[in-house]
Structure formats: structure tokens, C-alpha cells
Amino acid sequence: MKSLWWKCLCIALLLYALFVGMLTPLKPGILNISPFLVSSGERVSMEVEAYNVEAGKEWQAYLKKDSLSYLKASAVELTNGKFKIDFEIPSHIPSETSLQALTLLITDERNGTLVYPEGIQLKSSTNESTSSWLKEGHPRLYKKEGFLFPYRNILRETIRNMYYHVPLWFSMFILFFAGMMCSIWYLKTKKIEYDHRASSLIYSGMLMGVLGLITGSLWAKATWGAYWTNDMKLNMSAVSMLIYFAYAILRSGTEDIERKATLSSAYNIFAFITIVPLIFVLPRVADSLHPGNGGNPAFGGEDLDNTMRAVFYPAIIGFTLMGVWLGQILLRIKRIKEKIFFNKIDF
Amino acid sequence: MKHSFCLILFVLGTSLLKAENGAFSDGKLLSVVLVFASILIGFFIYLFSLDRKLTKIENQIKDE
């Protein structure tokens, strides 16, 4: 019974991550805008497809150029999840470049603010100044209250993968680290028990890593458009998986138990030291599509807000405990094998 | 095994309920379902390999 509590905790946390992660609705958002190319001085009527919106109180729409220049829509209408928004684009655009990206904001008290960053391209022809951009500062933007996940363009519902894909990598790393500590301890004490612990943790960590690659690949197909891209982080995590596959091969290729344990323990320490720069340093130095790498903004803001943290962190603990559990069963099998067949059969 | 199967059914069921507002077509929710299913399949494969190991040990004990 004493060893059962963390297994129950593991099940509870994973169920929590599944239920809350899948059932919490997203905030409303914008799917697409047409036309997205507008030019200065024209009166444009846009059709905007929205996601998850409910009937609002009073809709307002703005085109945002920068934090000081907003353009208010002359009319906003919502029918069947589609907005019809009219803008009168002023003939004077306060800018030097002829083409620039504008952010569309649609706001309402009940629905909060729908944002499509840089969703509209504005073509400007130079004209005299008759400015009608709002200059008095920030317009009133509402925020939708309640326990809701943020809506991100491109990601949409797949933002939930954050609770299933990312914790796999976290747990893999924790398991590999624990495995390395056991290996160091084996080299220090030469007790075969620690080698069993190390290899069990590494094998369950490898399971997490391979699942991380597969789930990441599925997520990439939905958001980046391909199962595998030339992203640095993808290639380097695949390489680190290969490094650990070599660990498994090294173990199965050596007959003598003591030799196997010593060799693989030493290899394990080097393997862990190698994957740290491969996964954490290189993708940051080079370019990467992952958040937090290669100039992309890291976790934070709308990518991982507080509602998401409430699911994300428990999911990390849950998946790590799951890995420890799976590793522990393997460890117990190894112990039994050793007790019964130590003198008779090689394993 | 049985519980996990129920979970898959549950996830699929709730997702289908949401499908009316375009969670699958516009929201790409299928990707999340596939991701979770692949994690479960991975755990099952691992469990099967443990199962095989145990069967081997059981057989060896029986032989002696």
C-alpha cells in the first residue's frame, strides 16, 4: 500500500490532464479574412470567419498599425459565425513603406477580443494628409473571463497537444537524468542493482522520447504542414534518440554482466552530457520553428497562459511518474531474473 | 487495457460532440486525438514487451 500512492497520483494527474485538457473550450478567434489585401483611400467590406463566437453585446472592430495608430470600423455585423466588417481606409497612411501588415482586432464584452496578428496587408499610395487614425491611444478591448485556453492562429485546437507532447520530453529528460545518476552510483559502488535501475529508467525514457517524436510529428503535420521538417530541434532530438538506441545495442551486445554494466554506465553518462547541447543549445543557436528557439518567443504570454499552466505542470508530473512506473516494472522483472537465474542463464 | 479503451472512446465521443462547431474541420482537433492515441499505443507496445519478458521467465521456471 505504501508504494501505491504515487501510482494513484500518476493516474489522477494523467486523467486530469486528459479531461481538463480536452474539455476546456478555447477562447473565440479568427479563422480567416477576405480580402486580406486593402489599399489606402478605399472603402472595404471584409468577410471574417470566426471560431467559437457567441452572440455578442456590441461588437467593435479595429485595424491596428502600431500601438498608437488604430482605425475603427464603421460597421460590424455577425451572422452565422461570420463577420461583415466595413472599414474606410484613410488616404493618408503614416508610414514610409508602401506595403505593411495590420492587425485585425474584433472586440465585445461577452466574447472578449479576437485577434488576427498581421492578417491584413495594406497597400498605400502617397497622398496628402487627412488622417482619421485614432490617435488618442488604445481603444477599449475586452477580455473574456473564465477558465479558457487561448486561441492561437494556426495552432487552434491543437494547442491542447501542449499537455501531451511537451510533457513527454520533460519526463524523458528527468528519466534520463535519473538514469545517469544511477549509472554514476553504479560506477562508484559496483552494485549491479544500480545498473538495473539505470537501464530500466533509460528504457522507459526512450519510450517517452520515441513517443515525443511521433506525437511531435503528428502535431507538425497539423500546424507546420509536414510530418518532418528540417527544423534543428527535430533532427537533433532524433539524433539523441539514436544515441540512446546505441546504449541499448551496447547492452545487448555484451555478454558478461559486470562488463556490460560498467561499459553501459560509462556510455550513459556521456550520452546524457551529449544530448543536453543537442536538444537545448543547438536549436537556440541555429533556427527552429519551436517556441523558445531560434528567435521565436519562448513559453509565456498567450502561448502558455495561467489556465494552460494549470494543466501543463500536472501533466509533466503525471507523465514522469508514468515513466518511473513503467521503468519500475522492468526493474522488478530484472531483479527476479537475477534472483532465479543468476548462475544458470545469461541475460 | 479495458480502461484505456474506455478513455479513447470517451475522448472520441466528447470530440464528436464538439464537432458541430467545426472543432474537427476548422479547429484541427483530430491532431490532438491522434497524439493521445499514439501515446496510448506506445504504452501498450511497452506493456506487451514486458508481458513477453514475464512469460519467458514463467516458462523458464516451469522448465526447471
Side-chain angles (χ1 to χ4, degrees):
Chain A
M1 267 332 246
K2 228 163 104 192
S3 64
L4 214 62
W5 68 269
W6 59 271
K7 290 166 190 171
C8 296
L9 180 69
C10 164
I11 294 171
L13 287 175
L14 286 183
L15 284 178
Y16 169 80
L18 174 64
F19 279 70
V20 181
M22 289 298 273
L23 294 177
T24 306
L26 294 189
K27 284 177 184 163
I30 296 169
L31 289 173
N32 56 58
I33 304 167
S34 77
F36 60 87
L37 189 68
V38 297
S39 36
S40 59
E42 77 172 350
R43 193 194 154 91
V44 66
S45 178
M46 275 174 205
E47 206 161 83
V48 177
E49 250 183 277
Y51 187 74
N52 251 356
V53 283
E54 44 184 307
K57 245 182 178 171
E58 196 196 351
W59 289 99
Q60 300 284 351
Y62 301 91
L63 277 182
K64 178 187 172 188
K65 195 177 84 64
D66 50 55
S67 57
L68 284 172
S69 317
Y70 288 85
L71 181 71
K72 197 175 173 197
S74 49
V76 188
E77 205 182 304
L78 174 70
T79 39
N80 285 335
K82 269 190 185 171
F83 285 101
K84 214 178 135 287
I85 305 173
D86 294 341
F87 281 106
E88 276 162 48
I89 314 282
S91 51
H92 171 73
I93 310 296
S95 157
E96 277 88 55
T97 52
S98 60
L99 194 70
Q100 53 183 311
L102 300 179
T103 297
L104 177 67
L105 300 156
I106 309 173
T107 187
D108 167 68
E109 212 178 314
R110 235 175 253 155
N111 286 271
T113 304
L114 289 64
V115 192
Y116 200 106
E118 311 198 335
I120 291 165
Q121 296 294 322
L122 174 64
K123 220 165 50 181
S124 62
S125 45
T126 42
N127 261 317
E128 310 86 62
S129 102
T130 43
S131 173
S132 60
W133 291 84
L134 284 183
K135 279 286 182 189
E136 61 266 39
H138 210 282
R140 170 117 202 237
L141 297 175
Y142 294 98
K143 213 177 146 198
K144 189 163 187 176
E145 297 301 328
F147 192 81
L148 299 162
F149 296 146
Y151 174 91
R152 305 291 284 160
N153 293 304
I154 303 172
L155 282 183
R156 300 182 190 168
E157 297 275 356
T158 67
I159 201 164
R160 299 170 200 279
N161 280 345
M162 187 80 181
Y163 318 126
Y164 312 121
H165 165 72
V166 187
L168 287 175
W169 290 107
F170 275 75
S171 77
M172 178 201 82
F173 227 82
I174 296 168
L175 292 168
F176 280 175
F177 180 74
M180 184 193 67
M181 294 317 278
C182 289
S183 282
I184 292 175
W185 208 244
Y186 169 76
L187 289 177
K188 221 173 156 186
T189 58
K190 292 281 174 188
K191 276 185 188 149
I192 201 77
E193 162 72 12
Y194 291 108
D195 181 59
H196 288 334
R197 282 189 187 186
S199 63
S200 310
L201 285 168
I202 296 297
Y203 286 144
S204 67
M206 269 164 65
L207 172 72
M208 296 294 172
V210 171
L211 287 178
L213 282 181
I214 294 169
T215 55
S217 178
L218 290 167
W219 197 3
K221 180 65 186 167
T223 51
W224 301 340
Y227 287 111
W228 199 267
T229 65
N230 254 342
D231 190 288
M232 196 65 153
K233 197 136 179 159
L234 265 66
N235 289 330
M236 289 306 129
S237 44
V239 167
S240 45
M241 276 301 103
L242 291 179
I243 290 174
Y244 277 95
F245 277 128
Y247 173 84
I249 293 166
L250 178 72
R251 283 187 75 84
S252 61
T254 322
E255 294 278 308
D256 181 58
I257 293 165
E258 295 265 312
R259 214 175 124 79
K260 171 160 86 177
T262 315
L263 260 179
S264 62
S265 293
Y267 180 87
N268 190 15
I269 295 164
F270 284 115
F272 186 80
I273 293 167
T274 318
I275 67 164
V276 173
L278 282 184
I279 294 182
F280 290 115
V281 182
L282 275 179
R284 279 177 168 75
V285 176
D287 215 3
S288 175
L289 289 163
H290 279 86
N293 296 287
N296 281 330
F299 290 157
E302 287 272 291
D303 281 332
L304 183 70
D305 68 357
N306 286 336
T307 54
M308 293 185 72
R309 284 200 176 88
V311 188
F312 180 59
Y313 294 143
I316 291 176
I317 302 170
F319 275 108
T320 308
L321 289 178
M322 188 75 193
V324 176
W325 192 355
L326 292 174
Q328 195 207 31
I329 294 172
L330 186 61
L331 170 67
R332 280 152 80 179
I333 292 176
K334 282 180 189 215
R335 277 186 194 147
I336 291 174
K337 250 182 175 176
E338 173 161 317
K339 272 230 169 89
I340 301 175
F341 310 113
F342 186 73
N343 298 317
K344 296 160 201 161
I345 297 154
D346 260 338
F347 57 89
Chain B
M1 184 78 191
K2 210 173 167 188
H3 288 104
S4 315
F5 187 63
C6 289
L7 275 184
I8 297 181
L9 278 184
F10 171 78
V11 172
L12 281 177
T14 49
S15 315
L16 286 173
L17 282 179
K18 283 185 190 171
E20 61 191 59
N21 62 11
F24 270 101
S25 54
D26 294 328
K28 311 177 189 174
L29 190 60
L30 185 66
S31 149
V32 187
V33 176
L34 287 178
V35 161
F36 200 83
S38 66
I39 293 174
L40 282 185
I41 290 168
F43 286 166
F44 290 152
I45 292 172
Y46 188 90
L47 279 179
F48 269 114
S49 81
L50 287 183
D51 196 302
R52 261 195 15 228
K53 277 195 175 96
L54 276 175
T55 316
K56 243 192 221 164
I57 294 177
E58 281 172 344
N59 289 340
Q60 277 171 336
I61 291 172
K62 240 184 253 164
D63 288 346
E64 277 166 34

